[in-house]
PDB file of all heavy atoms in Angstrom:
ATOM      1  N   ASP A 370      21.566  10.035 -20.334  1.00  0.00           N
ATOM      2  CA  ASP A 370      22.386   8.867 -20.703  1.00  0.00           C
ATOM      3  C   ASP A 370      22.155   8.372 -22.127  1.00  0.00           C
ATOM      4  O   ASP A 370      22.661   7.370 -22.547  1.00  0.00           O
ATOM      5  CB  ASP A 370      22.056   7.754 -19.709  1.00  0.00           C
ATOM      6  CG  ASP A 370      22.461   8.102 -18.279  1.00  0.00           C
ATOM      7  OD1 ASP A 370      23.468   8.833 -18.109  1.00  0.00           O
ATOM      8  OD2 ASP A 370      21.785   7.625 -17.401  1.00  0.00           O
ATOM      9  N   GLY A 371      21.342   9.151 -22.834  1.00  0.00           N
ATOM     10  CA  GLY A 371      21.048   8.704 -24.257  1.00  0.00           C
ATOM     11  C   GLY A 371      20.014   7.594 -24.284  1.00  0.00           C
ATOM     12  O   GLY A 371      19.756   7.116 -25.402  1.00  0.00           O
ATOM     13  N   ASN A 372      19.454   7.190 -23.133  1.00  0.00           N
ATOM     14  CA  ASN A 372      18.479   6.192 -23.112  1.00  0.00           C
ATOM     15  C   ASN A 372      17.094   6.690 -23.513  1.00  0.00           C
ATOM     16  O   ASN A 372      16.841   7.855 -23.467  1.00  0.00           O
ATOM     17  CB  ASN A 372      18.401   5.441 -21.829  1.00  0.00           C
ATOM     18  CG  ASN A 372      19.740   4.782 -21.369  1.00  0.00           C
ATOM     19  OD1 ASN A 372      20.443   4.292 -22.265  1.00  0.00           O
ATOM     20  ND2 ASN A 372      20.076   4.909 -20.109  1.00  0.00           N
ATOM     21  N   LYS A 373      16.157   5.779 -23.785  1.00  0.00           N
ATOM     22  CA  LYS A 373      14.764   6.160 -24.077  1.00  0.00           C
ATOM     23  C   LYS A 373      14.073   6.585 -22.811  1.00  0.00           C
ATOM     24  O   LYS A 373      14.179   5.832 -21.805  1.00  0.00           O
ATOM     25  CB  LYS A 373      14.091   4.981 -24.653  1.00  0.00           C
ATOM     26  CG  LYS A 373      12.615   5.295 -25.064  1.00  0.00           C
ATOM     27  CD  LYS A 373      11.955   4.025 -25.624  1.00  0.00           C
ATOM     28  CE  LYS A 373      10.461   4.325 -25.950  1.00  0.00           C
ATOM     29  NZ  LYS A 373       9.739   3.158 -26.518  1.00  0.00           N
ATOM     30  N   PRO A 374      13.513   7.742 -22.746  1.00  0.00           N
ATOM     31  CA  PRO A 374      12.770   8.159 -21.557  1.00  0.00           C
ATOM     32  C   PRO A 374      11.701   7.262 -21.210  1.00  0.00           C
ATOM     33  O   PRO A 374      11.020   6.629 -22.061  1.00  0.00           O
ATOM     34  CB  PRO A 374      12.220   9.533 -22.001  1.00  0.00           C
ATOM     35  CG  PRO A 374      13.041  10.002 -23.126  1.00  0.00           C
ATOM     36  CD  PRO A 374      13.382   8.754 -23.854  1.00  0.00           C
ATOM     37  N   GLN A 375      11.511   7.001 -19.891  1.00  0.00           N
ATOM     38  CA  GLN A 375      10.579   6.042 -19.426  1.00  0.00           C
ATOM     39  C   GLN A 375       9.390   6.837 -18.681  1.00  0.00           C
ATOM     40  O   GLN A 375       9.689   7.847 -17.999  1.00  0.00           O
ATOM     41  CB  GLN A 375      11.128   5.010 -18.476  1.00  0.00           C
ATOM     42  CG  GLN A 375      12.170   4.211 -19.059  1.00  0.00           C
ATOM     43  CD  GLN A 375      11.639   3.224 -20.069  1.00  0.00           C
ATOM     44  OE1 GLN A 375      10.552   2.620 -19.913  1.00  0.00           O
ATOM     45  NE2 GLN A 375      12.328   3.013 -21.152  1.00  0.00           N
ATOM     46  N   LYS A 376       8.210   6.377 -18.826  1.00  0.00           N
ATOM     47  CA  LYS A 376       7.012   6.978 -18.116  1.00  0.00           C
ATOM     48  C   LYS A 376       6.583   5.978 -17.099  1.00  0.00           C
ATOM     49  O   LYS A 376       5.509   5.332 -17.182  1.00  0.00           O
ATOM     50  CB  LYS A 376       5.918   7.285 -19.106  1.00  0.00           C
ATOM     51  CG  LYS A 376       6.230   8.522 -19.979  1.00  0.00           C
ATOM     52  CD  LYS A 376       4.992   9.018 -20.683  1.00  0.00           C
ATOM     53  CE  LYS A 376       4.454   8.030 -21.714  1.00  0.00           C
ATOM     54  NZ  LYS A 376       3.328   8.597 -22.521  1.00  0.00           N
ATOM     55  N   ASN A 377       7.444   5.732 -16.049  1.00  0.00           N
ATOM     56  CA  ASN A 377       7.118   4.779 -15.045  1.00  0.00           C
ATOM     57  C   ASN A 377       6.995   5.592 -13.675  1.00  0.00           C
ATOM     58  O   ASN A 377       7.060   6.772 -13.638  1.00  0.00           O
ATOM     59  CB  ASN A 377       8.180   3.679 -14.961  1.00  0.00           C
ATOM     60  CG  ASN A 377       9.576   4.258 -14.918  1.00  0.00           C
ATOM     61  OD1 ASN A 377       9.763   5.361 -14.317  1.00  0.00           O
ATOM     62  ND2 ASN A 377      10.489   3.563 -15.431  1.00  0.00           N
ATOM     63  N   SER A 378       6.762   4.786 -12.629  1.00  0.00           N
ATOM     64  CA  SER A 378       6.573   5.392 -11.345  1.00  0.00           C
ATOM     65  C   SER A 378       7.857   6.173 -10.862  1.00  0.00           C
ATOM     66  O   SER A 378       7.715   7.132 -10.201  1.00  0.00           O
ATOM     67  CB  SER A 378       6.269   4.347 -10.354  1.00  0.00           C
ATOM     68  OG  SER A 378       4.945   3.876 -10.533  1.00  0.00           O
ATOM     69  N   ARG A 379       8.968   5.694 -11.209  1.00  0.00           N
ATOM     70  CA  ARG A 379      10.205   6.410 -10.895  1.00  0.00           C
ATOM     71  C   ARG A 379      10.239   7.822 -11.556  1.00  0.00           C
ATOM     72  O   ARG A 379      10.541   8.764 -10.888  1.00  0.00           O
ATOM     73  CB  ARG A 379      11.409   5.649 -11.334  1.00  0.00           C
ATOM     74  CG  ARG A 379      12.777   6.268 -10.891  1.00  0.00           C
ATOM     75  CD  ARG A 379      13.953   5.357 -11.322  1.00  0.00           C
ATOM     76  NE  ARG A 379      15.209   5.968 -10.897  1.00  0.00           N
ATOM     77  CZ  ARG A 379      16.377   5.427 -11.113  1.00  0.00           C
ATOM     78  NH1 ARG A 379      16.434   4.214 -11.770  1.00  0.00           N
ATOM     79  NH2 ARG A 379      17.466   5.990 -10.738  1.00  0.00           N
ATOM     80  N   ALA A 380       9.858   7.877 -12.754  1.00  0.00           N
ATOM     81  CA  ALA A 380       9.770   9.171 -13.495  1.00  0.00           C
ATOM     82  C   ALA A 380       8.721  10.039 -12.869  1.00  0.00           C
ATOM     83  O   ALA A 380       8.874  11.257 -12.736  1.00  0.00           O
ATOM     84  CB  ALA A 380       9.524   8.880 -14.979  1.00  0.00           C
ATOM     85  N   ILE A 381       7.587   9.422 -12.524  1.00  0.00           N
ATOM     86  CA  ILE A 381       6.522  10.248 -11.830  1.00  0.00           C
ATOM     87  C   ILE A 381       6.945  10.818 -10.582  1.00  0.00           C
ATOM     88  O   ILE A 381       6.717  12.017 -10.259  1.00  0.00           O
ATOM     89  CB  ILE A 381       5.258   9.345 -11.722  1.00  0.00           C
ATOM     90  CG1 ILE A 381       4.694   8.908 -12.982  1.00  0.00           C
ATOM     91  CG2 ILE A 381       4.168  10.048 -10.850  1.00  0.00           C
ATOM     92  CD1 ILE A 381       4.132  10.007 -13.853  1.00  0.00           C
ATOM     93  N   VAL A 382       7.598  10.038  -9.721  1.00  0.00           N
ATOM     94  CA  VAL A 382       8.088  10.486  -8.487  1.00  0.00           C
ATOM     95  C   VAL A 382       9.119  11.684  -8.672  1.00  0.00           C
ATOM     96  O   VAL A 382       9.002  12.744  -8.044  1.00  0.00           O
ATOM     97  CB  VAL A 382       8.735   9.410  -7.643  1.00  0.00           C
ATOM     98  CG1 VAL A 382       9.429   9.984  -6.368  1.00  0.00           C
ATOM     99  CG2 VAL A 382       7.602   8.435  -7.172  1.00  0.00           C
ATOM    100  N   ALA A 383      10.040  11.497  -9.566  1.00  0.00           N
ATOM    101  CA  ALA A 383      11.027  12.553  -9.896  1.00  0.00           C
ATOM    102  C   ALA A 383      10.290  13.786 -10.379  1.00  0.00           C
ATOM    103  O   ALA A 383      10.677  14.966  -9.963  1.00  0.00           O
ATOM    104  CB  ALA A 383      11.988  12.091 -10.953  1.00  0.00           C
TER     105      ALA A 383
END
Side-chain angles (χ1 to χ4, degrees):
D370 298 327
N372 298 324
K373 181 181 178 180
Q375 299 292 320
K376 290 193 292 185
N377 51 31
S378 288
R379 183 178 181 180
I381 294 293
V382 171

